[in-house]
Amino acid sequence: MDGVDGVDRVPEIVQFGARPYVALRGKVAMDGISAFADRLREVIDWLAAREIAPNDAPFFKYDEVDMESELVMEIGFPVDDVHTGEGEIVTGVIPAGRYVTVTHHGHPDGLRDATHDLLVWADEQGLEWDADGDRWVARLEVYRSDPREVPDLNDWDTDLQFKLKD
């Protein structure tokens, strides 16, 4: 995978601690992800109104992945403490554990291929995901590039972080 299709390096297995978060949750068709992503501002405004600061980059969390139908996903930010959501804003904790992670450099349109490559690589390594069919415990895209600082989407860095079964 090294250097192929926007992937900068070979995937690694990384241990992460538990990460509280605040997010917007929704059911989204594959062609509706961009429109749903545009609603990240709602999370930013909710956090700002409560004087809660994100402690890392925004993420997309894919809870159910059915490529033929719709996705259940959350878009949000990790925060320092567990909070209580309201309305469409949800809170939770991304669980601690071992994650396969790799960085995709390039336009977000390339994430589908990068995800495919990561899944194939993990299968070749004999790794087992913390998932039950289409339902994932933690399957994340972490958007490391701030669009105000990196306006060209082709220069974005996005980390894929998929939880392994304990």
Side-chain angles (χ1 to χ4, degrees), residues 62-136:
Y62 295 87
D63 295 330
E64 292 183 40
V65 180
D66 181 347
M67 303 297 265
E68 303 304 317
S69 177
E70 61 186 6
L71 309 166
V72 176
M73 61 184 294
E74 298 172 348
I75 54 174
F77 293 89
V79 294
D80 290 335
D81 301 303
V82 177
H83 297 276
T84 301
E86 58 189 292
E88 291 182 278
I89 301 292
V90 299
T91 61
V93 177
I94 299 167
R98 294 179 315 126
Y99 287 73
V100 172
T101 184
V102 71
T103 299
H104 167 73
H105 179 79
H107 197 287
D109 286 348
L111 286 168
R112 188 173 185 166
D113 288 339
T115 296
H116 174 266
D117 293 345
L118 178 62
L119 294 171
V120 168
W121 177 87
D123 188 50
E124 290 170 352
Q125 305 303 309
L127 300 173
E128 188 176 357
W129 301 117
D130 199 348
D132 183 10
D134 292 339
R135 294 174 184 235
W136 289 73

Side-chain angles (χ1 to χ4, degrees), residues 10-28:
V10 174
E12 299 176 293
I13 297 174
V14 176
Q15 180 76 33
F16 286 110
R19 297 172 278 176
Y21 69 90
V22 173
L24 178 69
R25 183 177 177 88
K27 289 185 177 183
V28 182

